[in-house]
Amino acid sequence: MTTTMVSMSDKQFNDLRKIIYERSGIHFPDTKKYVLESRLGHRLGELEMETYDDYLAFLTMGPYQMDEFQEMFNRITINETSFFRNEPQLDVFEKKILPELLEARKGTKRLRLWSAACSTGEEPYTLAIQVHRTLGVRLADWRIEILGTDISEKVLDQAQTGKYTDYAVRSTPPVVKQRYFRQDGPYWNLDSTVRSMVHFELHNLKDRMAARRFGAFDLIMCRNVMIYFDDTMKAQVLTTFADQLAPDGSLFIGHSETIRPGTTPFTSMPISHAFCYRKSA
Ligand SMILES: C[S@@+](CC[C@H](N)C(=O)[O-])C[C@H]1O[C@@H](n2cnc3c(N)ncnc32)[C@H](O)[C@@H]1O
């Protein structure tokens, strides 16, 4: 097996990042060549390949190209997340958006939330905890569907276990840890009722048509992934969200991410310490 780091020429970098962009919308700027080199170097070793030309051929022409794309996404995506990440936004969801939605949906008693690009599941499970503690005993009367999707199979496999480390729960209030987790050595096992409220599916945000299978949502949360997209991909993703969001639904994006006014089907709604977006009238 090759152990030395295989170097990537500028042409190989351009070819590779073009393929990655076409398949996922993830944009690697010129300054990020080292990221691909460091993350894929080991993969070349595993495949016993000596050049990135071999890898590019394997990725685009080989019989296992779809599997290799998945393998590559598992390695090149940034999966940083945690329970209760960016609490001001989650407070707005729990104290304002959720009560309004529960009131608006009291006729159907059905609520559908989508955590798009959910990584290892902390975000959709946080929403589930918030819905659970808000509804309390009324939960049994409601049909709550929370979907978590990601492009990487590996993170979704991890999400389904409901088993987390200290790092994942570092921003979780102690009272929540006590009520919704069971500590098992170094792990925190999430409560099974909360786990059963969330369903995970592999989904690439680049794939507009495939999102239609999910139906309409009352809330879409897509945080800390659009920073890896260029403006074209961002616009495509936001159009998909507009298609999949109920007319009175809300969209949350990462607190450091922005949607330029007038460029998308969304209008920003500033609320106390955070903001969310609604479909423009
Ligand atoms: C930094 S994590 C964000 C997790 C969570 N939303 C949060 O804010 O804590 C970004 C996730 O986006 C996923 N991702 C990147 N490109 C994607 C795409 N085209 N479609 C779906 N997910 C994607 C990555 O696999 C990764 O798990």
Side-chain angles (χ1 to χ4, degrees):
M1 184 183 283
T2 313
T3 48
T4 48
M5 176 90 156
V6 181
S7 72
M8 190 187 282
S9 68
D10 288 346
K11 173 164 185 333
Q12 288 163 338
F13 172 59
N14 279 330
D15 290 349
L16 198 53
R17 70 171 167 174
K18 184 165 173 273
I19 294 171
I20 293 169
Y21 179 73
E22 283 167 1
R23 294 290 176 118
S24 68
I26 302 171
H27 169 63
F28 279 89
D30 291 346
T31 51
K32 291 286 160 73
K33 182 173 132 188
Y34 76 95
V35 176
L36 284 186
E37 241 173 352
S38 65
R39 288 176 173 233
L40 294 177
H42 188 62
R43 180 64 183 151
L44 262 68
E46 286 171 358
L47 293 168
E48 302 193 11
M49 288 179 179
E50 294 190 355
T51 69
Y52 276 97
D53 286 337
D54 295 340
Y55 187 64
L56 280 156
F58 185 64
L59 197 58
T60 50
M61 294 184 285
Y64 305 111
Q65 45 178 289
M66 291 323 289
D67 291 344
E68 188 53 31
F69 266 108
Q70 190 46 243
E71 190 58 49
M72 184 177 71
F73 290 136
N74 287 343
R75 289 164 193 251
I76 64 172
T77 51
I78 310 278
N79 307 118
E80 174 69 23
T81 185
S82 62
F83 281 89
F84 289 85
R85 181 176 193 182
N86 196 273
E87 237 183 323
Q89 276 189 324
L90 294 163
D91 273 355
V92 166
F93 165 69
E94 188 169 356
K95 303 211 169 91
K96 178 169 168 59
I97 306 291
L98 181 58
E100 284 174 5
L101 277 174
L102 293 174
E103 177 61 24
R105 303 290 183 270
K106 66 183 177 200
T108 58
K109 291 212 168 7
R110 185 176 184 207
L111 201 62
R112 306 196 71 236
L113 318 179
W114 179 16
S115 163
C118 69
S119 187
T120 37
E122 289 87 329
E123 184 177 272
Y125 284 141
T126 298
L127 295 176
I129 290 172
Q130 293 183 297
V131 173
H132 187 279
R133 69 183 179 187
T134 300
L135 281 173
V137 290
R138 293 177 294 153
L139 188 69
D141 303 332
W142 282 77
R143 203 165 131 205
I144 307 293
E145 296 166 31
I146 304 175
L147 174 69
T149 61
D150 202 279
I151 197 173
S152 161
E153 234 163 30
K154 193 173 162 200
V155 292
L156 295 177
D157 287 346
Q158 162 67 37
Q160 320 245 21
T161 67
K163 193 174 184 156
Y164 291 95
T165 58
D166 271 334
Y167 188 69
V169 295
R170 67 193 179 280
S171 314
T172 308
V175 59
V176 173
K177 280 206 254 185
Q178 206 175 18
R179 179 163 170 202
Y180 289 104
F181 292 85
R182 186 176 48 79
Q183 204 169 1
D184 177 18
Y187 296 108
W188 295 86
N189 293 314
L190 184 62
D191 174 84
S192 57
T193 307
V194 171
R195 280 178 62 194
S196 70
M197 293 167 70
V198 183
H199 161 80
F200 292 98
E201 280 201 42
L202 193 64
H203 175 67
N204 182 349
L205 288 169
K206 179 92 186 169
D207 200 344
R208 278 199 62 193
M209 286 301 159
R212 302 213 168 164
R213 74 191 191 278
F214 298 141
F217 292 95
D218 303 302
L219 174 112
I220 299 177
M221 191 167 269
C222 182
R223 302 188 304 169
N224 307 306
V225 60
M226 283 197 272
I227 34 170
Y228 304 111
F229 298 159
D230 68 355
D231 286 347
T232 310
M233 172 71 178
K234 244 170 101 171
Q236 279 172 24
V237 171
L238 290 166
T239 306
T240 304
F241 290 162
D243 291 345
Q244 301 308 129
L245 197 60
D248 59 348
S250 302
L251 168 73
F252 280 91
I253 63 172
H255 76 289
S256 58
E257 294 167 321
T258 47
I259 296 180
R260 257 185 282 130
T263 59
T264 72
F266 289 98
T267 308
S268 142
M269 313 272 300
I271 312 165
S272 59
H273 295 95
F275 57 87
C276 72
Y277 290 88
R278 290 264 161 84
K279 281 205 267 190
S280 309

